[in-house]
Amino acid sequence: MARAHLTLNPAFTIGPVRRRLFGGFVEHLGRHVYDGIHEPGHPSAGPDGFRRDVIELVKELGVTTVRYPGGNFVSGYHWEDGVGPVAERPRRLDLAWHSTETNEVGLHEFQNWLDQVGGELMLAVNLGTRGPKEALDLVEYANVPSGTARAAQRAANGRQEPFGITMWCLGNEMDGPWQLGHRNAEDYGKLAAMTAKAMRQVDRNLELVVCGSSSRSMPTFGEWERVVLEHTYEDVDYISCHAYYEERDGDLASFLASGVDMDAFIEAVVATVDHVRALKRSDKRIDISFDEWNVWYLTRWLEQSRTFTIDDWPVAPRLLEDVYSVADAVTLGGLLISLLNHADRVASASLAQLVNVIAPIMTEPGGPAWRQTTFFPFSVTARAARGTALKVALDADATTTAAYGAVPVVAAAATVDGCSVSVFLQNRHTTEATSVTIDLSAFAVSGTVTARGVWDEDVYAVNDVRDTERVRLRTNDTAALADGVLTMELPPVSWTAVTVA
Ligand code: AHR
């Protein structure tokens, strides 16, 4: 059996766990909006067409901010198409996902849905096919209380009070050649700075996210961040990171260790941000909005996308409907550990996405809604990770991976909130259990130990429409606290959250 020893101390802090770390992402893509959150004919739908069963699951998931409406979609989107009487809204080609956008759901409907879910809206503007003017119109429409044409238009469309949206993304993945309106860093940096300055002239309280790289493997990674920030440093608050992981060629060990890549990604972006800060002799600190992250079997999507033709623009097709296994959930738990360990610089993050599209929640038209395996680590962490993130002193055996070499067999993060300490653990070993001891003697914890997580004899077990509850959250009965030391055994390929209160 492998072994790991952790020492925690309340004095060794990383930073506050900001609630925006547990954001989600809803894109107009596939069956996410239509036939996902919005299905007027469904037995559980309210008069607004939104499925209540889905709303309940999203609430249970515990997402805080929700990024909307894209993603690649936003780079061709006209926000005006999605406001006003629904019957008069145009149908448009969605070039990003080769679909037809009906515009039945737009800003007002989505905000109403979000009000029921209890989340904060993080809105993206189109800097692909559009520019500062349209972004300004949208800020005026959304945030100016009254007395202007756009504010009056909003009121006429049924919303007297402004939306009051704080977080705005300045486009999406503008470094990607697949993006409508893709630009080089120089051109995007100038456009983003111009747009940011203009938007702040309308509302100086906006928090603005400039596009970083769409992945660490982009050839422009690093240089893109530097150039974009040299143009925008004083105008923005956050730079985005996007990362997706998948198991390739049966290499489970490397896949489980994807958090190692996420750690390196975050640390490289922080280094670049702080380099530009030094160059500019600025007092201002820019943090990260990790506004797309997940497990995504991207290679399957690339194959599917090759089959599209000019005659084929479906409404709400089945796209990116990955079915997640226990191994996927354990990897996702490892990514959450990475985010928590960088809570000082990752101010906000969005699990991409929420429903049907690379999602923790799935639905069938007229049928059930259910939790994928990846639902569990997210929902447990969103609740248990509160207060302050702590540094974990980790002394662990190593396990070997093809992608990252030798890595600690256990990945761990910890938080403290008053008298309650939570530790998040991933056992990366593909075949062996790991015996863990956690020294909590520096805390005044005495009592109740709760240890829950995801593991299974079959690491490729899934929840699907045939068996929506095959994989559930499990309790680890080996966890015990004695003399300030918590001991437990982690099964192979497992993710566990243990809280001592
Ligand atoms: O989340 C799916 C897609 O991944 C998003 O639309 C895009 O931003 C990224 O490439």
Side-chain angles (χ1 to χ4, degrees):
M1 189 183 305
R3 53 154 291 283
H5 179 70
L6 286 68
T7 309
L8 299 178
N9 190 302
F12 300 148
T13 61
I14 296 172
V17 180
R18 290 171 267 194
R19 298 318 300 161
R20 283 178 177 161
L21 207 56
F22 304 107
F25 174 31
V26 172
E27 177 164 7
H28 283 245
L29 193 181
R31 295 194 309 120
H32 198 163
V33 174
Y34 310 113
D35 273 1
I37 64 174
H38 190 258
E39 190 189 334
H42 192 275
S44 90
D48 56 6
F50 289 114
R51 285 180 64 159
R52 305 289 144 198
D53 55 350
V54 176
I55 288 173
E56 286 313 312
L57 283 175
V58 176
K59 283 162 76 173
E60 184 186 324
L61 186 66
V63 290
T64 51
T65 49
V66 181
R67 183 167 175 254
Y68 175 84
N72 295 338
F73 171 79
V74 80
S75 294
Y77 183 52
H78 290 203
W79 66 265
E80 305 88 331
D81 292 347
V83 303
V86 174
E88 292 168 23
R89 295 186 191 172
R91 290 164 72 92
R92 302 271 191 206
L93 295 183
D94 165 12
L95 302 184
W97 302 107
H98 208 87
S99 310
T100 296
E101 171 57 50
T102 64
N103 284 305
E104 283 162 78
V105 171
L107 179 59
H108 290 254
E109 293 79 16
F110 188 71
Q111 179 69 67
N112 289 343
W113 178 80
L114 205 45
D115 289 343
Q116 296 175 63
V117 165
E120 176 194 5
L121 181 55
M122 175 181 183
L123 199 62
V125 301
N126 174 355
L127 290 188
T129 58
R130 307 187 103 190
K133 180 189 175 304
E134 294 83 4
L136 274 179
D137 284 344
L138 181 51
V139 177
E140 181 187 326
Y141 185 91
N143 283 8
V144 171
S146 61
T148 72
R150 290 295 187 189
Q153 185 188 3
R154 181 192 68 236
N157 287 337
R159 186 160 179 132
Q160 196 69 44
E161 292 301 310
F163 289 90
I165 300 161
T166 305
M167 286 276 276
W168 297 73
C169 302
L170 298 166
N172 177 69
E173 293 191 349
M174 300 308 298
D175 63 323
W178 58 87
Q179 199 70 214
L180 271 176
H182 160 62
R183 287 168 173 78
N184 63 32
E186 189 77 25
D187 291 347
Y188 170 67
K190 286 179 188 164
L191 176 65
M194 201 189 307
T195 308
K197 282 188 174 74
M199 289 168 75
R200 279 202 206 283
Q201 278 179 255
V202 181
D203 185 347
R204 70 164 64 93
N205 295 322
L206 303 184
E207 294 180 37
L208 301 178
V209 185
V210 74
C211 292
S213 295
S214 46
S215 102
R216 185 174 167 236
S217 61
M218 292 299 286
T220 49
F221 173 63
E223 187 62 359
W224 172 274
E225 280 75 4
R226 183 188 66 76
V227 174
V228 166
L229 286 172
E230 285 202 2
H231 286 287
T232 58
Y233 200 89
E234 295 302 333
D235 299 312
V236 302
D237 304 284
Y238 312 102
I239 184 160
S240 69
C241 290
H242 290 182
Y244 293 100
Y245 298 94
E246 64 185 301
E247 184 182 338
R248 292 173 198 270
D249 306 321
D251 183 1
L252 178 60
S254 297
F255 177 53
L256 291 170
S258 298
V260 172
D261 181 85
M262 191 185 238
D263 290 344
F265 190 1
I266 294 169
E267 286 156 26
V269 172
V270 166
T272 309
V273 167
D274 290 348
H275 171 63
V276 179
R277 177 185 180 189
L279 293 177
K280 293 197 169 282
R281 281 94 175 137
S282 175
D283 291 336
K284 180 178 172 186
R285 198 179 82 168
I286 289 191
D287 284 336
I288 291 174
S289 166
F290 214 120
D291 48 41
E292 287 188 32
W293 68 273
N294 203 349
V295 172
W296 176 13
Y297 288 83
L298 181 60
T299 39
R300 290 183 204 152
W301 153 249
L302 293 175
E303 272 165 38
Q304 188 183 6
S305 67
R306 281 192 206 102
T307 64
F308 297 149
T309 71
I310 185 76
D311 305 319
D312 174 25
W313 298 90
V315 174
R318 289 181 186 259
L319 301 178
L320 282 59
E321 299 203 4
D322 287 357
V323 177
Y324 291 121
S325 67
V326 167
D328 295 326
V330 171
T331 300
L332 186 137
L335 299 174
L336 282 162
I337 287 170
S338 172
L339 291 172
L340 284 171
N341 282 333
H342 296 93
D344 53 338
R345 297 306 293 266
V346 181
S348 166
S350 304
L351 175 68
Q353 301 196 9
L354 264 186
V355 178
N356 288 335
V357 172
I358 46 172
I361 297 166
M362 296 300 287
T363 71
E364 273 301 311
W370 66 95
R371 300 167 192 82
Q372 292 231 57
T373 57
T374 51
F375 186 99
F376 302 113
F378 189 97
S379 62
V380 170
T381 307
R383 272 181 189 76
R386 296 196 168 265
T388 305
L390 297 175
K391 288 180 188 148
V392 176
L394 176 66
D395 171 16
D397 288 347
T399 186
T400 306
T401 67
Y404 310 110
V407 300
V409 69
V410 162
T415 59
V416 61
D417 188 25
C419 296
S420 161
V421 180
S422 291
V423 186
F424 306 89
L425 300 151
Q426 182 204 28
N427 184 7
R428 293 164 167 164
H429 207 292
T430 55
T431 53
E432 275 183 32
T434 299
S435 158
V436 176
T437 50
I438 308 176
D439 184 345
L440 296 175
S441 54
F443 297 84
V445 288
S446 51
T448 334
V449 178
T450 322
R452 290 172 308 160
V454 186
W455 60 91
D456 202 281
E457 291 286 298
D458 175 5
V459 300
Y460 294 107
V462 301
N463 290 342
D464 61 19
V465 69
R466 286 163 300 180
D467 186 351
T468 58
E469 302 206 15
R470 162 68 183 79
V471 179
R472 296 169 185 237
L473 203 54
R474 300 176 71 164
T475 301
N476 187 329
D477 296 322
T478 66
L481 181 69
D483 300 329
V485 177
L486 184 74
T487 53
M488 63 192 300
E489 204 174 290
L490 302 177
V493 192
S494 64
W495 174 88
T496 306
V498 54
T499 298
V500 186

